[in-house]
């Protein structure tokens, strides 16, 4: 999907910058009337990026449409730090993944940015290809609620929960983050379509969320799978097996629309919140 702030002609101007910077990370800020490469002053620019004081002040005083930076290791998903920094900056960020041979230095591909953050067009809810932090289970749920007029704050991601100490939100994010999203627990027998659910997938902790659509149907985005409506014919057993808990946005209306086709027809390509 071509992004509104990055038409093909502009991308063709930016693309060489990321290739020339390899094996270091390159950073580009895009404003409505211009774009500019920012200097990466990180101590280890192959592994991360950091900006000088002047650039940081400019980004605060003259907010860009988006900030792009490259991942020379070919990874298309944001790091935990990326998700935190994007929220702090409150503009869309994009990852430009570069496929290259670290021995010969040959660059095979510089990929169109994978972008996330508020203000981007919401892609179709069904058929999304999974990308952690960009198109994952939480993003899918947030977009579902946005289409229904329910605001759910964006949250950072914790890819490897084992690196975070107990008590840190990243140690058990599906347990600690619901309160930050304005969700309240709902008893299983009180569940209704539109509730958010959290699941255990056999790891002893909650590691997945999905939107309950009613009658054993769940809007879900699983790792390495396209987003879909998962249907179980044995719902009570399924709930027990996954230790599913039900959570409800405090301002969710009772007649929330769970017909995905109808929901998207009423809201053609709205912006994420």
């Amino acid at each position: 999907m071509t992004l509104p702030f990055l038409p093909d002609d502009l991308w063709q101007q930016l693309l060489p910058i990321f290739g020339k910077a390899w094996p270091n990370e390159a950073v580009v800020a895009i404003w409505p009337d211009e774009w500019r490469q920012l200097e990466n002053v990180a101590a280890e620019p192959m592994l991360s990026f950091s900006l000088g004081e002047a650039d940081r002040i400019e980004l605060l005083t003259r907010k860009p449409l988006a900030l792009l930076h490259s991942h020379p290791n070919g990874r298309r998903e944001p790091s935990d730090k990326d998700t935190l920094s994007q929220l702090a900056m409150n503009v869309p960020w994009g990852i430009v993944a570069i496929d290259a041979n670290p021995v010969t230095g040959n660059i095979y591909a510089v990929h169109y940015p994978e972008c996330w953050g508020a203000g981007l067009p919401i892609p179709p809810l069904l058929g999304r290809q999974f990308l952690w932090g960009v198109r994952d289970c939480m993003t899918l749920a947030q977009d579902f609620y946005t289409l229904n007029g329910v605001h759910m704050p964006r949250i950072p991601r914790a890819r490897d929960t084992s690196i975070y100490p107990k008590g840190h939100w990243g140690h058990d994010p599906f347990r600690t983050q619901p309160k930050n999203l304005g969700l309240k627990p709902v008893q299983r027998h009180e569940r209704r379509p539109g509730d958010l659910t959290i699941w255990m997938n056999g790891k002893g902790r909650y590691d997945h969320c999905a939107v309950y659509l009613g009658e054993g149907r769940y809007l879900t985005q699983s790792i390495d799978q396209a987003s879909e409506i998962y249907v179980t014919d044995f719902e009570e057993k399924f709930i027990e097996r996954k230790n599913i808990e039900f959570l409800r946005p405090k301002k969710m209306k009772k007649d929330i629309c769970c017909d995905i086709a109808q929901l998207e027809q009423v809201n053609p390509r709205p912006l994420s919140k």
Side-chain angles (χ1 to χ4, degrees):
M1 177 176 66
T2 301
L3 298 164
F5 59 79
L6 191 60
D8 288 337
D9 59 340
L10 177 56
W11 170 235
Q12 291 306 315
Q13 296 177 53
L14 300 182
L15 191 153
I17 291 174
F18 299 103
K20 288 178 181 177
W22 189 92
N24 296 332
E25 293 193 8
V27 190
V28 171
I30 301 174
W31 288 274
D33 55 348
E34 67 168 325
W35 60 267
R36 185 161 62 82
Q37 182 178 4
L38 307 180
E39 183 182 3
N40 181 358
V41 298
E44 297 182 286
M46 296 173 63
L47 303 178
S48 65
F49 80 88
S50 183
L51 301 177
E53 183 178 4
D55 284 335
R56 294 200 306 271
I57 292 174
E58 182 176 19
L59 293 177
L60 286 172
T61 56
R62 192 164 71 101
K63 188 167 285 191
L65 296 175
L67 188 79
L68 310 180
H69 76 277
S70 56
H71 278 183
N73 58 8
R75 295 185 73 117
R76 301 170 65 195
E77 68 272 15
S79 65
D80 292 7
K81 181 181 176 182
D82 287 336
T83 67
L84 281 164
S85 299
Q86 183 276 319
L87 285 171
M89 192 171 175
N90 196 30
V91 300
W93 275 34
I95 303 297
V96 177
I98 299 178
D99 295 334
N101 186 319
V103 177
T104 64
N106 290 337
I107 295 176
Y108 306 125
V110 178
H111 296 279
Y112 189 86
E114 293 284 1
C115 293
W116 78 99
L120 297 177
I122 294 179
L125 296 179
L126 299 179
R128 299 181 180 188
Q129 294 304 310
F130 179 88
L131 182 62
W132 183 87
V134 178
R135 294 180 298 275
D136 56 21
C137 60
M138 181 54 71
T139 307
L140 182 65
Q142 288 172 318
D143 288 344
F144 169 86
Y145 290 118
T146 295
L147 291 172
N148 268 291
V150 178
H151 175 61
M152 184 177 289
R154 298 278 160 174
I155 57 173
R157 301 294 196 268
R159 187 172 183 84
D160 181 2
T161 57
S162 67
I163 67 174
Y164 296 98
K166 233 175 183 180
H168 189 283
W169 66 264
H171 181 75
D172 199 358
F174 287 91
R175 273 295 195 191
T176 58
Q177 289 288 26
K179 66 180 70 173
N180 298 329
L181 296 174
L183 301 170
K184 59 181 180 181
V186 177
Q187 295 298 315
R188 183 195 302 186
H189 67 276
E190 296 177 331
R191 68 185 183 273
R192 70 175 191 230
D195 288 341
L196 183 71
T197 64
I198 55 174
W199 305 6
M200 282 186 182
N201 282 318
K203 299 177 182 178
R205 70 170 61 190
Y206 288 96
D207 58 2
H208 182 66
C209 69
V211 178
Y212 178 58
L213 301 179
E215 299 178 337
R217 299 176 304 128
Y218 296 83
L219 177 64
T220 181
Q221 174 89 65
S222 298
I223 294 178
D224 297 332
Q225 295 182 28
S227 57
E228 62 175 351
I229 296 176
Y230 178 83
V231 182
T232 175
D233 294 327
F234 305 98
E235 186 172 13
E236 294 303 323
K237 288 185 178 180
F238 179 73
I239 290 172
E240 291 178 8
R241 181 162 58 88
K242 296 287 186 180
N243 290 298
I244 291 178
E245 292 190 2
F246 293 82
L247 304 159
R248 184 170 301 156
K250 293 178 181 177
K251 296 184 179 180
M252 189 177 81
K253 53 191 177 183
K254 289 187 177 180
D255 59 344
I256 191 168
C257 180
C258 290
D259 183 322
I260 302 303
Q262 178 184 343
L263 187 60
E264 295 191 315
Q265 188 174 10
V266 172
N267 299 278
R269 294 296 147 273
L271 300 182
S272 58
K273 299 294 185 182

